[in-house]
Amino acid sequence: MTPTEFVYGAVAYATVPTLLITAFVHMWWQRHCDKVDARKAESSGEVSADSMHDDATEEAIARAASLPGYYAVLPLMPLLLIIISAILNRLGVIPFEGGILPVTVVSLFIAMIIESIRKRTVTGAVDSISSFFKGMGEGAAGVVALLVAAAVLVEGITQMGVIDMLIDAAEGSSGAAVLIVLVFVAATAAMAALTGSGTAPYFAFSEVVPNLASQTSIHAPQMLTAIWGTSNLMRQVSPVNAAVLIVSGAIKVNPIQLVKRTSVPMIVATVLNTLFAFMFIG
């Protein structure tokens, strides 16, 4: 399947309604937490976190304000290129759809050309690309370690015969197939919450999905959507997640306090995404 076929032909059916409902849950839960924090601050005489100004945050806002507005489009460039190429392919204008790797490289060069024009120097733009590769290296260092650990875990489970046992249980039984999907969702949620990574749990368990789907009544896109959504949602309830640590550091609060804010919306979203995957992806 192409990325657009998987995303718009399967994933979107579960994630779009999940996002809409979760947005309201998120607003309700944050309002509830605000009231609780206000009562605690009033009773203890402390200054709430919302009233404190952070120099690093103000500096980042000032730095962003100095950039042209159209720079906001650059991070969306890979997504736009994939969507545009898919549309052109459907219309018969081009014979292909953009893949992840070529689209990323093209987007990088477009950003470099725009940076060269704005700064009127090619060498400066080329030098700034080093931050792109440095970020890739730093991000991959932790992710690769988690992927290896997750792969070892799944291989161990496979060698113990657990996967074969699940396949035998699910053959010809839709009820058992649903139970297997829920087991994988629960395992993915636990791993994402413990590691703070959305990539490692998904790639660890997605490896066995094709084999399960080929021998049981499990629909592969349905199961992949369920565990993919779970891994990306439940990592936000982990106090060791990179985004949680960055945000908690910027606003000077304990990561656990931030996780209390993210836990309810993300758990609700996980349940909804899994439910809608069963309901709408066939």
Side-chain angles (χ1 to χ4, degrees), residues 61-261:
I61 292 173
R63 188 168 65 249
S66 65
L67 293 173
Y70 58 82
Y71 265 46
V73 180
L74 295 182
L76 299 175
M77 189 68 68
L79 176 62
L80 293 175
L81 290 177
I82 287 178
I83 293 175
I84 291 171
S85 67
I87 293 173
L88 293 177
N89 177 257
R90 298 291 194 281
L91 295 174
V93 178
I94 57 176
F96 63 90
E97 287 189 25
I100 299 298
L101 182 58
V103 159
T104 302
V105 174
V106 170
S107 300
L108 175 64
F109 277 100
I110 291 174
M112 186 184 71
I113 292 170
I114 293 174
E115 186 78 349
S116 301
I117 295 173
R118 188 176 77 90
K119 291 186 174 181
R120 297 180 181 177
T121 169
V122 177
T123 56
V126 172
D127 290 340
S128 66
I129 292 181
S130 62
S131 61
F132 172 82
F133 293 103
K134 185 184 295 183
M136 286 178 60
E138 292 174 353
V143 171
V144 169
L146 288 171
L147 283 174
V148 171
V152 171
L153 171 64
V154 173
E155 182 62 25
I157 293 173
T158 303
Q159 293 298 327
M160 290 169 62
V162 174
I163 302 300
D164 291 334
M165 182 182 68
L166 292 174
I167 291 174
D168 293 338
E171 282 183 343
S173 173
S174 58
V178 170
L179 182 61
I180 288 174
V181 174
L182 294 178
V183 168
F184 273 81
V185 166
T188 303
M191 187 179 291
L194 289 172
T195 64
S197 170
T199 306
Y202 173 74
F203 278 106
F205 294 115
S206 65
E207 292 287 335
V208 300
V209 171
N211 187 34
L212 281 170
S214 65
Q215 301 184 53
T216 67
S217 59
I218 291 174
H219 184 48
Q222 186 182 71
M223 184 172 180
L224 287 171
T225 299
I227 63 175
W228 171 80
T230 299
S231 64
N232 282 282
L233 290 165
M234 290 304 293
R235 66 175 177 168
Q236 310 303 338
V237 304
S238 172
V240 296
N241 172 258
V244 172
L245 292 173
I246 291 169
V247 173
S248 61
I251 62 178
K252 292 182 168 42
V253 299
N254 190 301
I256 300 298
Q257 290 181 261
L258 195 61
V259 166
K260 289 179 181 178
R261 294 266 186 163

